[in-house]
Amino acid sequence: MTTSMLFPGFEPRRISTAGAEINLVIGGCGPPLLLLHGYPQTHAIWHRIAPRLAEHFTVVCTDLRGYGDSAKPPGETDHRSYSKRAMAQDQVEVMEALGFKRFALVGHDRGGRVAHRLVRDHSARVVRLAVLDISPTASMYAKTDKAFATAYYHWFFLIQPYDLPERLIGADPAYYLRKKLGGWGSTLDHFDRRAYAEYVRCFCDPATIHASCEDYRASATIDLEHDAADAGRKLDCPLLVLWGAKGVVHRLFDPVADWKSVANDVRGKVLASGHYLAEEAPDETYADLLAFFRD
């Protein structure tokens, strides 16, 4: 299996939650650290830093509901199956099943949005939170302009009603994936060919295409409702935000200021990278995460 080569010494597992069966790898020893990937990828994004983090932590890398080899429940009219609340609940139940009631948490891209909701709904579970190359969802929607809509057109394409985006992506999913992965401030050259093969294998599944559209539809509807209900209530756990100097977030947003609007203890740093920090700038990403979680 490709991921076993990418994560030497890690054990593959599958854990059933109340809403989905979640695929993961676990390795290392020490305090628990959960790593959540983004769109349109899988837990394979962490292959360049997870083995090093496993020298200090028990590292859990999961496939989010709807992605990779995790279950892909059908979408619903209100998209609740792919709300960040439902996706975060999966991760809490996974960590509970592994024996971890409290843990540190890292989320890249969509995984960062799941992580944000996880801390909102389960604040006692999370010791520290790091988010990679995002500002809060509500902040990004509120600041949408022509430049953002052009750069992140997929936000507005994927939320179109079923099954328009599914059919268009499904006509040539490998082409669409190649354009997305190579379009956020860098080229495809930084991807390990084995990891990239995993992304292609998983994304070409029609169920993954549908689930990922549902993820974005939820972000534009039910997730914003949940965020609005939390307005004025800030996160208390320490939060680190890292982002890439070549990416859209750096060009159009102020990540530290944006996260300070929703959290009390925020620090941040820009890295010489595009969107995919853990794969493009693994040494710097690893060093900053290690320093933050060992502080």
Side-chain angles (χ1 to χ4, degrees):
M1 183 176 182
T2 300
T3 53
S4 65
M5 295 185 288
L6 293 171
F7 295 87
F10 279 62
E11 176 191 358
R13 296 278 300 273
R14 295 187 67 83
I15 293 177
S16 293
T17 72
E21 187 175 59
I22 301 299
N23 183 63
L24 64 98
V25 294
I26 180 172
C29 60
L33 174 61
L34 174 61
L35 308 181
L36 303 179
H37 68 86
Y39 175 88
Q41 299 171 289
T42 74
H43 74 272
I45 73 165
W46 305 112
H47 71 97
R48 287 179 173 151
I49 65 172
R52 284 188 277 179
L53 288 169
E55 296 174 8
H56 309 276
F57 306 97
T58 300
V59 177
V60 180
C61 306
T62 64
D63 289 334
L64 295 171
R65 171 191 297 215
Y67 291 86
D69 289 315
S70 287
K72 300 162 183 67
E76 296 171 302
T77 303
D78 64 359
H79 315 299
R80 78 171 75 98
S81 292
Y82 290 91
S83 69
K84 303 303 128 350
R85 174 162 288 163
M87 296 171 81
Q89 182 65 35
D90 287 336
Q91 304 303 318
V92 168
E93 293 182 31
V94 163
M95 295 303 277
E96 181 84 28
L98 293 171
F100 305 128
K101 293 186 179 298
R102 283 174 58 79
F103 48 89
L105 179 60
V106 182
H108 172 253
D109 190 82
R110 309 308 291 176
R113 305 188 191 288
V114 174
H116 181 192
R117 176 45 57 186
L118 194 158
V119 177
R120 285 279 188 204
D121 290 352
H122 309 275
S123 59
R125 297 278 186 171
V126 181
V127 179
R128 289 185 167 227
L129 168 65
V131 293
L132 308 187
D133 211 58
I134 62 168
S135 283
T137 304
S139 297
M140 294 179 75
Y141 270 124
K143 297 176 182 178
T144 294
D145 58 12
K146 179 181 177 182
F148 177 63
T150 301
Y152 269 35
Y153 74 89
H154 64 289
W155 274 38
F156 309 97
F157 169 57
L158 297 175
I159 67 176
Q160 297 306 307
Y162 176 82
D163 61 350
L164 176 63
E166 285 92 340
R167 282 183 176 268
L168 295 179
I169 295 169
D172 194 345
Y175 170 82
Y176 177 84
L177 183 75
R178 184 167 66 252
K179 297 297 287 187
K180 293 311 302 173
L181 291 178
W184 281 319
S186 53
T187 69
L188 295 174
D189 295 340
H190 56 265
F191 290 113
D192 183 290
R193 59 178 178 78
R194 299 166 299 174
Y196 188 82
E198 277 294 285
Y199 305 148
V200 173
R201 178 183 70 83
C202 294
F203 191 75
C204 286
D205 179 353
T208 300
I209 296 171
H210 173 60
S212 61
C213 291
E214 285 295 296
D215 174 8
Y216 280 84
R217 289 173 182 133
S219 281
T221 54
I222 191 170
D223 291 343
L224 292 179
E225 295 173 12
H226 293 158
D227 286 345
D230 287 324
R233 182 171 65 89
K234 290 192 172 186
L235 308 180
D236 287 324
C237 75
L239 187 151
L240 171 69
V241 53
L242 302 174
W243 68 97
K246 303 175 187 177
V248 175
V249 171
H250 179 67
R251 187 168 78 248
L252 301 180
F253 298 93
D254 184 343
V256 171
D258 291 341
W259 282 104
K260 282 185 175 179
S261 72
V262 299
N264 290 317
D265 181 358
V266 179
R267 66 210 73 179
K269 183 177 179 183
V270 62
L271 303 183
S273 176
H275 179 60
Y276 302 99
L277 278 68
E279 292 175 285
E280 296 181 58
D283 294 341
E284 298 87 344
T285 303
Y286 163 74
D288 287 325
L289 291 178
L290 181 63
F292 175 63
F293 289 119
R294 296 184 75 184
D295 188 4

mmCIF file with all atom_site columns, all heavy atoms in Angstrom, residues 174-190:
data_model
loop_
_atom_site.group_PDB
_atom_site.id
_atom_site.type_symbol
_atom_site.label_atom_id
_atom_site.label_alt_id
_atom_site.label_comp_id
_atom_site.label_asym_id
_atom_site.label_entity_id
_atom_site.label_seq_id
_atom_site.pdbx_PDB_ins_code
_atom_site.Cartn_x
_atom_site.Cartn_y
_atom_site.Cartn_z
_atom_site.occupancy
_atom_site.B_iso_or_equiv
_atom_site.pdbx_formal_charge
_atom_site.auth_seq_id
_atom_site.auth_comp_id
_atom_site.auth_asym_id
_atom_site.auth_atom_id
_atom_site.pdbx_PDB_model_num
ATOM 1   N N   . ALA A 1 174 ? -8.850  13.650 -13.154 1.00 0.00 ? 174 ALA A N   1
ATOM 2   C CA  . ALA A 1 174 ? -7.391  13.753 -13.047 1.00 0.00 ? 174 ALA A CA  1
ATOM 3   C C   . ALA A 1 174 ? -6.906  15.106 -13.557 1.00 0.00 ? 174 ALA A C   1
ATOM 4   O O   . ALA A 1 174 ? -5.975  15.705 -12.984 1.00 0.00 ? 174 ALA A O   1
ATOM 5   C CB  . ALA A 1 174 ? -6.721  12.617 -13.812 1.00 0.00 ? 174 ALA A CB  1
ATOM 6   N N   . TYR A 1 175 ? -7.525  15.602 -14.621 1.00 0.00 ? 175 TYR A N   1
ATOM 7   C CA  . TYR A 1 175 ? -7.176  16.931 -15.144 1.00 0.00 ? 175 TYR A CA  1
ATOM 8   C C   . TYR A 1 175 ? -7.534  18.008 -14.131 1.00 0.00 ? 175 TYR A C   1
ATOM 9   O O   . TYR A 1 175 ? -6.724  18.900 -13.850 1.00 0.00 ? 175 TYR A O   1
ATOM 10  C CB  . TYR A 1 175 ? -7.910  17.188 -16.454 1.00 0.00 ? 175 TYR A CB  1
ATOM 11  C CG  . TYR A 1 175 ? -7.789  18.617 -16.927 1.00 0.00 ? 175 TYR A CG  1
ATOM 12  C CD1 . TYR A 1 175 ? -6.657  19.047 -17.618 1.00 0.00 ? 175 TYR A CD1 1
ATOM 13  C CD2 . TYR A 1 175 ? -8.797  19.547 -16.668 1.00 0.00 ? 175 TYR A CD2 1
ATOM 14  C CE1 . TYR A 1 175 ? -6.534  20.368 -18.045 1.00 0.00 ? 175 TYR A CE1 1
ATOM 15  C CE2 . TYR A 1 175 ? -8.684  20.868 -17.078 1.00 0.00 ? 175 TYR A CE2 1
ATOM 16  C CZ  . TYR A 1 175 ? -7.552  21.276 -17.764 1.00 0.00 ? 175 TYR A CZ  1
ATOM 17  O OH  . TYR A 1 175 ? -7.432  22.588 -18.167 1.00 0.00 ? 175 TYR A OH  1
ATOM 18  N N   . TYR A 1 176 ? -8.736  17.930 -13.573 1.00 0.00 ? 176 TYR A N   1
ATOM 19  C CA  . TYR A 1 176 ? -9.172  18.929 -12.590 1.00 0.00 ? 176 TYR A CA  1
ATOM 20  C C   . TYR A 1 176 ? -8.234  18.933 -11.378 1.00 0.00 ? 176 TYR A C   1
ATOM 21  O O   . TYR A 1 176 ? -7.812  19.997 -10.910 1.00 0.00 ? 176 TYR A O   1
ATOM 22  C CB  . TYR A 1 176 ? -10.606 18.630 -12.145 1.00 0.00 ? 176 TYR A CB  1
ATOM 23  C CG  . TYR A 1 176 ? -11.101 19.569 -11.067 1.00 0.00 ? 176 TYR A CG  1
ATOM 24  C CD1 . TYR A 1 176 ? -11.640 20.804 -11.389 1.00 0.00 ? 176 TYR A CD1 1
ATOM 25  C CD2 . TYR A 1 176 ? -11.008 19.216 -9.718  1.00 0.00 ? 176 TYR A CD2 1
ATOM 26  C CE1 . TYR A 1 176 ? -12.085 21.672 -10.405 1.00 0.00 ? 176 TYR A CE1 1
ATOM 27  C CE2 . TYR A 1 176 ? -11.444 20.080 -8.733  1.00 0.00 ? 176 TYR A CE2 1
ATOM 28  C CZ  . TYR A 1 176 ? -11.984 21.306 -9.074  1.00 0.00 ? 176 TYR A CZ  1
ATOM 29  O OH  . TYR A 1 176 ? -12.402 22.163 -8.092  1.00 0.00 ? 176 TYR A OH  1
ATOM 30  N N   . LEU A 1 177 ? -7.887  17.751 -10.903 1.00 0.00 ? 177 LEU A N   1
ATOM 31  C CA  . LEU A 1 177 ? -6.991  17.655 -9.749  1.00 0.00 ? 177 LEU A CA  1
ATOM 32  C C   . LEU A 1 177 ? -5.642  18.276 -10.062 1.00 0.00 ? 177 LEU A C   1
ATOM 33  O O   . LEU A 1 177 ? -5.080  19.022 -9.246  1.00 0.00 ? 177 LEU A O   1
ATOM 34  C CB  . LEU A 1 177 ? -6.815  16.184 -9.353  1.00 0.00 ? 177 LEU A CB  1
ATOM 35  C CG  . LEU A 1 177 ? -5.956  15.929 -8.110  1.00 0.00 ? 177 LEU A CG  1
ATOM 36  C CD1 . LEU A 1 177 ? -6.725  16.287 -6.849  1.00 0.00 ? 177 LEU A CD1 1
ATOM 37  C CD2 . LEU A 1 177 ? -5.507  14.481 -8.055  1.00 0.00 ? 177 LEU A CD2 1
ATOM 38  N N   . ARG A 1 178 ? -5.123  17.992 -11.233 1.00 0.00 ? 178 ARG A N   1
ATOM 39  C CA  . ARG A 1 178 ? -3.828  18.548 -11.625 1.00 0.00 ? 178 ARG A CA  1
ATOM 40  C C   . ARG A 1 178 ? -3.864  20.074 -11.660 1.00 0.00 ? 178 ARG A C   1
ATOM 41  O O   . ARG A 1 178 ? -2.941  20.741 -11.188 1.00 0.00 ? 178 ARG A O   1
ATOM 42  C CB  . ARG A 1 178 ? -3.430  17.992 -12.997 1.00 0.00 ? 178 ARG A CB  1
ATOM 43  C CG  . ARG A 1 178 ? -2.053  18.434 -13.473 1.00 0.00 ? 178 ARG A CG  1
ATOM 44  C CD  . ARG A 1 178 ? -1.607  17.613 -14.670 1.00 0.00 ? 178 ARG A CD  1
ATOM 45  N NE  . ARG A 1 178 ? -2.417  17.838 -15.851 1.00 0.00 ? 178 ARG A NE  1
ATOM 46  C CZ  . ARG A 1 178 ? -3.292  16.967 -16.349 1.00 0.00 ? 178 ARG A CZ  1
ATOM 47  N NH1 . ARG A 1 178 ? -3.476  15.789 -15.780 1.00 0.00 ? 178 ARG A NH1 1
ATOM 48  N NH2 . ARG A 1 178 ? -3.990  17.251 -17.445 1.00 0.00 ? 178 ARG A NH2 1
ATOM 49  N N   . LYS A 1 179 ? -4.943  20.630 -12.172 1.00 0.00 ? 179 LYS A N   1
ATOM 50  C CA  . LYS A 1 179 ? -5.060  22.085 -12.236 1.00 0.00 ? 179 LYS A CA  1
ATOM 51  C C   . LYS A 1 179 ? -5.196  22.697 -10.847 1.00 0.00 ? 179 LYS A C   1
ATOM 52  O O   . LYS A 1 179 ? -4.645  23.770 -10.573 1.00 0.00 ? 179 LYS A O   1
ATOM 53  C CB  . LYS A 1 179 ? -6.257  22.486 -13.109 1.00 0.00 ? 179 LYS A CB  1
ATOM 54  C CG  . LYS A 1 179 ? -6.132  22.062 -14.560 1.00 0.00 ? 179 LYS A CG  1
ATOM 55  C CD  . LYS A 1 179 ? -4.946  22.731 -15.244 1.00 0.00 ? 179 LYS A CD  1
ATOM 56  C CE  . LYS A 1 179 ? -5.178  24.192 -15.517 1.00 0.00 ? 179 LYS A CE  1
ATOM 57  N NZ  . LYS A 1 179 ? -4.098  24.787 -16.336 1.00 0.00 ? 179 LYS A NZ  1
ATOM 58  N N   . LYS A 1 180 ? -5.917  22.022 -9.946  1.00 0.00 ? 180 LYS A N   1
ATOM 59  C CA  . LYS A 1 180 ? -6.084  22.564 -8.593  1.00 0.00 ? 180 LYS A CA  1
ATOM 60  C C   . LYS A 1 180 ? -4.781  22.478 -7.804  1.00 0.00 ? 180 LYS A C   1
ATOM 61  O O   . LYS A 1 180 ? -4.367  23.451 -7.172  1.00 0.00 ? 180 LYS A O   1
ATOM 62  C CB  . LYS A 1 180 ? -7.189  21.813 -7.830  1.00 0.00 ? 180 LYS A CB  1
ATOM 63  C CG  . LYS A 1 180 ? -8.578  21.996 -8.353  1.00 0.00 ? 180 LYS A CG  1
ATOM 64  C CD  . LYS A 1 180 ? -8.945  23.456 -8.597  1.00 0.00 ? 180 LYS A CD  1
ATOM 65  C CE  . LYS A 1 180 ? -8.842  24.339 -7.374  1.00 0.00 ? 180 LYS A CE  1
ATOM 66  N NZ  . LYS A 1 180 ? -9.053  25.778 -7.715  1.00 0.00 ? 180 LYS A NZ  1
ATOM 67  N N   . LEU A 1 181 ? -4.138  21.339 -7.837  1.00 0.00 ? 181 LEU A N   1
ATOM 68  C CA  . LEU A 1 181 ? -2.925  21.170 -7.029  1.00 0.00 ? 181 LEU A CA  1
ATOM 69  C C   . LEU A 1 181 ? -1.776  22.026 -7.540  1.00 0.00 ? 181 LEU A C   1
ATOM 70  O O   . LEU A 1 181 ? -0.879  22.377 -6.780  1.00 0.00 ? 181 LEU A O   1
ATOM 71  C CB  . LEU A 1 181 ? -2.512  19.692 -7.003  1.00 0.00 ? 181 LEU A CB  1
ATOM 72  C CG  . LEU A 1 181 ? -3.446  18.757 -6.237  1.00 0.00 ? 181 LEU A CG  1
ATOM 73  C CD1 . LEU A 1 181 ? -2.934  17.324 -6.328  1.00 0.00 ? 181 LEU A CD1 1
ATOM 74  C CD2 . LEU A 1 181 ? -3.576  19.168 -4.777  1.00 0.00 ? 181 LEU A CD2 1
ATOM 75  N N   . GLY A 1 182 ? -1.808  22.376 -8.800  1.00 0.00 ? 182 GLY A N   1
ATOM 76  C CA  . GLY A 1 182 ? -0.747  23.207 -9.355  1.00 0.00 ? 182 GLY A CA  1
ATOM 77  C C   . GLY A 1 182 ? -1.107  24.671 -9.458  1.00 0.00 ? 182 GLY A C   1
ATOM 78  O O   . GLY A 1 182 ? -0.371  25.446 -10.075 1.00 0.00 ? 182 GLY A O   1
ATOM 79  N N   . GLY A 1 183 ? -2.202  25.080 -8.815  1.00 0.00 ? 183 GLY A N   1
ATOM 80  C CA  . GLY A 1 183 ? -2.691  26.427 -9.032  1.00 0.00 ? 183 GLY A CA  1
ATOM 81  C C   . GLY A 1 183 ? -2.710  27.358 -7.851  1.00 0.00 ? 183 GLY A C   1
ATOM 82  O O   . GLY A 1 183 ? -3.303  28.430 -7.931  1.00 0.00 ? 183 GLY A O   1
ATOM 83  N N   . TRP A 1 184 ? -2.079  26.973 -6.745  1.00 0.00 ? 184 TRP A N   1
ATOM 84  C CA  . TRP A 1 184 ? -2.138  27.813 -5.547  1.00 0.00 ? 184 TRP A CA  1
ATOM 85  C C   . TRP A 1 184 ? -0.743  28.274 -5.144  1.00 0.00 ? 184 TRP A C   1
ATOM 86  O O   . TRP A 1 184 ? -0.246  27.975 -4.063  1.00 0.00 ? 184 TRP A O   1
ATOM 87  C CB  . TRP A 1 184 ? -2.814  27.080 -4.387  1.00 0.00 ? 184 TRP A CB  1
ATOM 88  C CG  . TRP A 1 184 ? -4.303  27.070 -4.503  1.00 0.00 ? 184 TRP A CG  1
ATOM 89  C CD1 . TRP A 1 184 ? -5.106  28.084 -4.904  1.00 0.00 ? 184 TRP A CD1 1
ATOM 90  C CD2 . TRP A 1 184 ? -5.177  25.968 -4.216  1.00 0.00 ? 184 TRP A CD2 1
ATOM 91  N NE1 . TRP A 1 184 ? -6.422  27.686 -4.890  1.00 0.00 ? 184 TRP A NE1 1
ATOM 92  C CE2 . TRP A 1 184 ? -6.497  26.409 -4.474  1.00 0.00 ? 184 TRP A CE2 1
ATOM 93  C CE3 . TRP A 1 184 ? -4.969  24.661 -3.759  1.00 0.00 ? 184 TRP A CE3 1
ATOM 94  C CZ2 . TRP A 1 184 ? -7.611  25.587 -4.280  1.00 0.00 ? 184 TRP A CZ2 1
ATOM 95  C CZ3 . TRP A 1 184 ? -6.076  23.856 -3.577  1.00 0.00 ? 184 TRP A CZ3 1
ATOM 96  C CH2 . TRP A 1 184 ? -7.380  24.312 -3.833  1.00 0.00 ? 184 TRP A CH2 1
ATOM 97  N N   . GLY A 1 185 ? -0.098  29.008 -6.033  1.00 0.00 ? 185 GLY A N   1
ATOM 98  C CA  . GLY A 1 185 ? 1.172   29.631 -5.690  1.00 0.00 ? 185 GLY A CA  1
ATOM 99  C C   . GLY A 1 185 ? 2.398   28.795 -5.946  1.00 0.00 ? 185 GLY A C   1
ATOM 100 O O   . GLY A 1 185 ? 3.495   29.173 -5.536  1.00 0.00 ? 185 GLY A O   1
ATOM 101 N N   . SER A 1 186 ? 2.253   27.648 -6.617  1.00 0.00 ? 186 SER A N   1
ATOM 102 C CA  . SER A 1 186 ? 3.415   26.795 -6.872  1.00 0.00 ? 186 SER A CA  1
ATOM 103 C C   . SER A 1 186 ? 3.083   25.821 -7.996  1.00 0.00 ? 186 SER A C   1
ATOM 104 O O   . SER A 1 186 ? 2.000   25.850 -8.562  1.00 0.00 ? 186 SER A O   1
ATOM 105 C CB  . SER A 1 186 ? 3.810   26.043 -5.597  1.00 0.00 ? 186 SER A CB  1
ATOM 106 O OG  . SER A 1 186 ? 2.698   25.354 -5.073  1.00 0.00 ? 186 SER A OG  1
ATOM 107 N N   . THR A 1 187 ? 4.018   24.952 -8.297  1.00 0.00 ? 187 THR A N   1
ATOM 108 C CA  . THR A 1 187 ? 3.822   23.959 -9.342  1.00 0.00 ? 187 THR A CA  1
ATOM 109 C C   . THR A 1 187 ? 3.633   22.582 -8.726  1.00 0.00 ? 187 THR A C   1
ATOM 110 O O   . THR A 1 187 ? 3.658   22.426 -7.497  1.00 0.00 ? 187 THR A O   1
ATOM 111 C CB  . THR A 1 187 ? 5.047   23.921 -10.274 1.00 0.00 ? 187 THR A CB  1
ATOM 112 O OG1 . THR A 1 187 ? 6.164   23.375 -9.547  1.00 0.00 ? 187 THR A OG1 1
ATOM 113 C CG2 . THR A 1 187 ? 5.392   25.324 -10.769 1.00 0.00 ? 187 THR A CG2 1
ATOM 114 N N   . LEU A 1 188 ? 3.482   21.577 -9.576  1.00 0.00 ? 188 LEU A N   1
ATOM 115 C CA  . LEU A 1 188 ? 3.322   20.202 -9.093  1.00 0.00 ? 188 LEU A CA  1
ATOM 116 C C   . LEU A 1 188 ? 4.647   19.558 -8.700  1.00 0.00 ? 188 LEU A C   1
ATOM 117 O O   . LEU A 1 188 ? 4.654   18.455 -8.158  1.00 0.00 ? 188 LEU A O   1
ATOM 118 C CB  . LEU A 1 188 ? 2.653   19.350 -10.178 1.00 0.00 ? 188 LEU A CB  1
ATOM 119 C CG  . LEU A 1 188 ? 1.215   19.730 -10.551 1.00 0.00 ? 188 LEU A CG  1
ATOM 120 C CD1 . LEU A 1 188 ? 0.759   18.880 -11.730 1.00 0.00 ? 188 LEU A CD1 1
ATOM 121 C CD2 . LEU A 1 188 ? 0.282   19.544 -9.365  1.00 0.00 ? 188 LEU A CD2 1
ATOM 122 N N   . ASP A 1 189 ? 5.749   20.215 -8.972  1.00 0.00 ? 189 ASP A N   1
ATOM 123 C CA  . ASP A 1 189 ? 7.062   19.591 -8.793  1.00 0.00 ? 189 ASP A CA  1
ATOM 124 C C   . ASP A 1 189 ? 7.355   19.190 -7.354  1.00 0.00 ? 189 ASP A C   1
ATOM 125 O O   . ASP A 1 189 ? 8.141   18.278 -7.104  1.00 0.00 ? 189 ASP A O   1
ATOM 126 C CB  . ASP A 1 189 ? 8.164   20.529 -9.282  1.00 0.00 ? 189 ASP A CB  1
ATOM 127 C CG  . ASP A 1 189 ? 8.092   20.788 -10.776 1.00 0.00 ? 189 ASP A CG  1
ATOM 128 O OD1 . ASP A 1 189 ? 7.449   19.973 -11.479 1.00 0.00 ? 189 ASP A OD1 1
ATOM 129 O OD2 . ASP A 1 189 ? 8.652   21.797 -11.241 1.00 0.00 ? 189 ASP A OD2 1
ATOM 130 N N   . HIS A 1 190 ? 6.734   19.890 -6.395  1.00 0.00 ? 190 HIS A N   1
ATOM 131 C CA  . HIS A 1 190 ? 7.066   19.611 -4.997  1.00 0.00 ? 190 HIS A CA  1
ATOM 132 C C   . HIS A 1 190 ? 6.342   18.379 -4.447  1.00 0.00 ? 190 HIS A C   1
ATOM 133 O O   . HIS A 1 190 ? 6.643   17.935 -3.345  1.00 0.00 ? 190 HIS A O   1
ATOM 134 C CB  . HIS A 1 190 ? 6.733   20.824 -4.122  1.00 0.00 ? 190 HIS A CB  1
ATOM 135 C CG  . HIS A 1 190 ? 5.310   21.267 -4.228  1.00 0.00 ? 190 HIS A CG  1
ATOM 136 N ND1 . HIS A 1 190 ? 4.917   22.267 -5.077  1.00 0.00 ? 190 HIS A ND1 1
ATOM 137 C CD2 . HIS A 1 190 ? 4.179   20.823 -3.616  1.00 0.00 ? 190 HIS A CD2 1
ATOM 138 C CE1 . HIS A 1 190 ? 3.610   22.437 -4.967  1.00 0.00 ? 190 HIS A CE1 1
ATOM 139 N NE2 . HIS A 1 190 ? 3.136   21.570 -4.100  1.00 0.00 ? 190 HIS A NE2 1
#
